[in-house]
Amino acid sequence: EVPLAEEGAPRPRVSVVTPAYDEAESVEPALRAMLGQDYPDLEVVAVDDRSTDGTGEIMEAVAKEDDRLRVVSITELPEGWLGKVHALQRGLEQSSGEWVLFADADVELSPTALHRAVCYAEEEHLDLLSVVPTIKSAGLVGDAVFSFFLIVLCTGRPLWRVRDPRSKAVAATGAFILVRRAALEDTPGFEWLRLEVADDFGLCLLLKSHGKRCDIINGRGEVSLTWYGSFGEMVRSMQKNFFGIMGRFSALRTTMQAAVFAWVGAFPAAALLPVETPALRLAALAAEACIALGMLLGSLWTGRPLRGALVPPLGILAIAYMVLRSGIVGRRAGGILWRGVLYPSDMLRESQRVRV
């Protein structure tokens, strides 16, 4: 637990920049939670990124109640920019804080989240601090998917190595990325990331590659969000991530990854096959036990329901399906559709910074 600063101690000004595209259902409670932070010198810059569902009107209504909230409206997207990255840049331009918190419009913050984060970042002399939020339950399949995905994330990019300046490991979550403005201004900035699908990891890569100190910690009890309301919503929304970030805009690569996930998910079933091969059964049971243990520990660490860790094959096979589907959809579309704009694969591949 990160301690708070003593009452009355001077605190640096913090700007919260939150971009939103068609977030009418979640943006108001998120903005009120941001404005309800137990922090003395705070401003919130809400960016309406071409929304069509009344998001901008809701932002303006909340802004009339609190002069710490400023609304930036974007009506057109300039060529050569992803919508979210451009919205982050516009919000940054309108902010004035010594520290800038980039936070998604559906994130839920405890009243002390920002205060604790700033205290920790300054105590550790960090330039970027991100947190792993508590993901609220999205049903049994969603729980199983997230529990296994955390294993994949930590295997490929160990979170504990992000703070090591000698390591190339980078990680961040769009839910909460606190950045020291002076450090960000000492880099090429969002221009360097204008076509980066993994903008959260990309921001960490940008800072760390320029010699800045980064870290990612557990935000349990302080930062949370509802990942997706249903498995169908998860499948549709994660298409760009699997095809762009994991698959690097290659249908062949995503197909091969899907095959690997499918094999890992189906292998434990070998323990049930009617074959007289004790070694095979033992290996299948051991694999199942190791995966389940990893998923269980991940669920405990993030404060999530444990039920997803009890059905590892369900989560793994669901990921295999989503990865395969992402390659098919991406191949047919010739790219990814994000915030109402279709971005060609060739253009995004040339500008990709984050390599998974």
Side-chain angles (χ1 to χ4, degrees):
E1 173 134 338
V2 180
L4 298 175
E6 295 182 5
E7 186 174 353
R11 294 283 86 200
R13 183 170 177 77
V14 176
S15 301
V16 180
V17 174
T18 180
Y21 172 79
D22 287 351
E23 299 278 2
E25 293 184 5
S26 60
V27 70
E28 182 174 352
L31 288 178
R32 294 193 183 281
M34 293 170 187
L35 293 167
Q37 289 297 295
D38 177 20
Y39 196 85
D41 194 357
L42 172 72
E43 70 171 354
V44 178
V45 180
V47 184
D48 175 24
D49 182 23
R50 301 164 291 126
S51 298
T52 60
D53 66 346
T55 294
E57 289 81 353
I58 295 173
M59 288 178 171
E60 294 288 356
V62 178
K64 290 180 180 179
E65 303 175 14
D66 196 318
D67 59 10
R68 294 175 300 166
L69 173 60
R70 181 184 312 159
V71 179
V72 177
S73 297
I74 297 176
T75 57
E76 294 183 3
L77 178 65
E79 186 176 353
W81 284 80
L82 289 173
K84 182 182 178 183
V85 181
H86 176 249
L88 292 172
Q89 172 64 24
R90 288 288 304 277
L92 177 65
E93 292 170 353
Q94 296 298 316
S95 67
S96 60
E98 180 181 335
W99 286 90
V100 182
L101 171 63
F102 299 105
D104 290 341
D106 57 353
V107 69
E108 300 174 28
L109 305 177
S110 78
T112 61
L114 183 57
H115 199 164
R116 294 186 189 280
V118 172
C119 288
Y120 180 83
E122 294 209 311
E123 181 180 329
E124 297 295 323
H125 305 289
L126 300 176
D127 298 302
L128 179 148
L129 173 66
S130 186
V131 304
V132 178
T134 297
I135 305 296
K136 295 185 178 181
S137 179
L140 179 60
V141 179
D143 288 342
V145 167
F146 183 80
S147 295
F148 182 73
F149 196 73
L150 191 60
I151 294 179
V152 176
L153 176 63
C154 290
T155 300
R157 296 171 179 270
L159 301 185
W160 55 89
R161 295 181 61 189
V162 172
R163 67 178 292 117
D164 183 356
R166 298 167 298 179
S167 171
K168 294 183 179 181
V170 296
T173 66
F176 194 105
I177 307 179
L178 182 66
V179 180
R180 192 188 300 271
R181 179 184 293 274
L184 182 56
E185 290 178 346
D186 196 33
T187 72
F190 283 110
E191 172 70 27
W192 194 71
L193 299 170
R194 59 194 180 90
L195 288 172
E196 178 55 62
V197 177
D199 53 88
D200 45 10
F201 275 59
L203 190 54
C204 184
L205 176 63
L206 171 65
L207 271 290
K208 195 169 183 180
S209 64
H210 285 78
K212 311 306 178 183
R213 292 177 56 85
C214 304
D215 197 6
I216 182 169
I217 61 176
N218 191 344
R220 181 176 178 178
E222 299 291 339
V223 182
S224 63
L225 56 84
T226 300
W227 202 18
Y228 297 108
S230 66
F231 180 64
E233 182 184 351
M234 181 190 300
V235 170
R236 292 187 294 273
S237 299
M238 291 292 287
Q239 189 272 329
K240 70 180 188 305
N241 300 73
F242 286 127
F243 182 61
I245 301 172
M246 292 181 59
R248 299 183 189 175
F249 309 100
S250 166
L252 176 60
R253 183 181 174 89
T254 52
T255 300
M256 294 174 63
Q257 290 174 335
V260 172
F261 282 123
W263 182 85
V264 173
F267 180 67
L272 305 177
L273 294 177
V275 294
E276 296 182 2
T277 312
L280 178 61
R281 292 195 178 195
L282 182 60
L285 289 172
E288 180 79 352
C290 289
I291 294 174
L293 178 61
M295 293 171 67
L296 178 63
L297 292 175
S299 297
L300 290 171
W301 186 67
T302 54
R304 304 190 64 258
L306 303 182
R307 60 181 184 177
L310 303 178
V311 285
L314 181 62
I316 303 170
L317 293 175
I319 290 178
Y321 165 73
M322 289 192 289
V323 172
L324 179 61
R325 179 185 179 277
S326 75
I328 295 173
V329 172
R331 174 67 176 176
R332 288 177 177 174
I336 63 171
L337 181 65
W338 196 8
R339 295 193 173 197
V341 179
L342 179 64
Y343 300 93
S345 294
D346 291 342
M347 179 179 68
L348 295 177
R349 189 183 297 111
E350 292 176 359
S351 302
Q352 191 170 33
R353 305 289 188 179
V354 178
R355 302 284 181 172
V356 177

